[in-house]
Amino acid sequence: MDLKLWLSILMVCEMAESIGSGKSWLISVPSKIPVLESSCVVIPCEYDYPTKGNLWKKWRGYWTRGDETVASNNPKFKLKQEFKGRSRITGTIESNDCTWQLDDVRETDTGPFHLTIEIPRHSKFIFSKDPVTLDVFREYIRDLFKNPKPFTLNVRNEVTATCKVTHACPSSPPKFSWSHPGKTKTRTKKLKEGLWSTKSTLTFTPEEADFNKPLKCTVNFNDKKTTEGSVLLVKKST
C-alpha cells in the first residue's frame, strides 16, 4: 500500500474514533432556539479540536436536516430551492466558528439540524451528536413594556419609556418606532446562547395634549412582521 494513502486512512480512522468517543472534539451549540416566523435566526456554533494542520483549511462545513443540506461553506455546493438565498454559514470553519444564519424563517424550519464536517477526497463525519431545533412561533405575544401601567406625571415633567423585545438575530436586530417624538436610544445585549435582547428608550417632555392618550411602540422584525405595545400617559391630579 502507498505510504501516503496509508497515512491518510490512518488519520481518518483516528478522527472517527475521536468524534465517536467525544474526548477530543468539543462543540458548543444551543439545543433549541425560539424564533419568530419570517424573521431571521443566527445559530451560534463553536468547536475545538487540538490537532490542526494544512489539511484543516480545506475542510468543508455542512448543516444538514436528515439527508438534506441546508447550509454550506463550500462555494461549489448548490442548495435546494427551499433554502437557496436565505441560508449560509457565516462563521469561518478554520477559525473554529461554524455559526449558521437562516433568513425568512418558515414554519417548517424546525429541524432537527446537525453539523457535518467533510475532508475533501475522504469521508463525511456527523460532527454534532446533539441536534439543534428551532421553535418557530407566528406572533410575538410578549409585553413590550416591562411595566405596562400608566405613567402618572405632571405637565412638563420629563418621561422615559422603554420598549424591549427578545430575538434570535443579532446581525439584523428589530427596528423600533414611537408614536411620539423625542430622544431615542437603542441597545442590544446577549442573553443566553441563541437569544438577544434589544430595547429602545424614548425620553420626552409631554404637553397637555399628550395626556390620556396611548404612547405606542412598534417593533419591526426583518421588515416582515410587526408587533405593537402601548402605555397610557395620565396627568397627575392636583
Side-chain angles (χ1 to χ4, degrees):
M1 180 183 293
D2 181 81
L3 178 61
K4 185 179 295 184
L5 177 59
W6 181 83
L7 289 174
S8 298
I9 294 175
L10 177 62
M11 182 192 66
V12 172
C13 290
E14 289 177 347
M15 288 178 53
E17 182 180 355
S18 297
I19 294 171
S21 64
K23 295 179 180 179
S24 297
W25 289 89
L26 298 175
I27 182 170
S28 175
V29 291
S31 59
K32 178 181 288 188
I33 302 177
V35 55
L36 179 64
E37 184 183 24
S38 298
S39 65
C40 55
V41 58
V42 173
I43 294 89
C45 175
E46 296 179 350
Y47 65 90
D48 182 58
Y49 184 65
T51 304
K52 298 182 181 180
N54 293 330
L55 187 63
W56 186 266
K57 296 182 180 180
K58 299 178 182 179
W59 286 16
R60 297 300 185 188
Y62 301 86
W63 278 95
T64 60
R65 182 181 63 183
D67 296 331
E68 181 181 26
T69 298
V70 301
S72 176
N73 70 332
N74 186 347
K76 296 181 180 180
F77 189 87
K78 294 183 179 180
L79 299 179
K80 291 185 178 181
Q81 192 63 35
E82 182 183 359
F83 290 94
K84 187 177 180 179
R86 66 185 188 98
S87 177
R88 62 189 183 280
I89 292 180
T90 58
T92 306
I93 297 295
E94 57 265 29
S95 298
N96 296 42
D97 188 348
C98 41
T99 299
W100 164 43
Q101 177 167 329
L102 179 63
D103 297 326
D104 194 16
V105 174
R106 301 174 184 175
E107 190 177 4
T108 55
D109 293 335
T110 54
F113 302 101
H114 287 270
L115 175 67
T116 300
I117 296 292
E118 178 191 30
I119 304 175
R121 296 191 298 274
H122 290 291
S123 302
K124 280 188 177 181
F125 300 93
I126 294 179
F127 188 19
S128 53
K129 181 179 179 182
D130 299 320
V132 177
T133 59
L134 301 182
D135 183 12
V136 183
F137 53 94
R138 291 187 174 183
E139 301 293 337
Y140 193 94
I141 57 176
R142 296 182 181 180
D143 289 332
L144 301 186
F145 291 93
K146 183 177 181 180
N147 185 3
K149 295 181 179 179
F151 282 98
T152 303
L153 64 161
N154 294 317
V155 180
R156 300 298 179 184
N157 283 165
E158 187 177 77
V159 60
T160 298
T162 300
C163 183
K164 182 173 67 174
V165 294
T166 301
H167 60 96
C169 195
S171 61
S172 182
K175 300 174 184 177
F176 294 79
S177 60
W178 293 87
S179 61
H180 195 287
K183 183 179 179 180
T184 59
K185 182 182 295 185
T186 303
R187 291 182 178 178
T188 297
K189 72 174 183 178
K190 185 177 181 179
L191 298 178
K192 56 184 179 179
E193 283 193 353
L195 289 179
W196 298 75
S197 172
T198 299
K199 67 178 182 180
S200 174
T201 301
L202 171 71
T203 302
F204 69 99
T205 302
E207 299 180 355
E208 189 74 38
D210 295 321
F211 290 104
N212 297 319
K213 291 182 179 180
L215 174 64
K216 296 180 181 180
C217 169
T218 302
V219 186
N220 183 299
F221 294 88
N222 205 32
D223 295 328
K224 294 292 181 68
K225 283 197 173 184
T226 60
T227 187
E228 185 179 275
S230 65
V231 63
L232 195 64
L233 297 182
V234 178
K235 185 178 179 181
K236 184 179 292 186
S237 60
T238 57

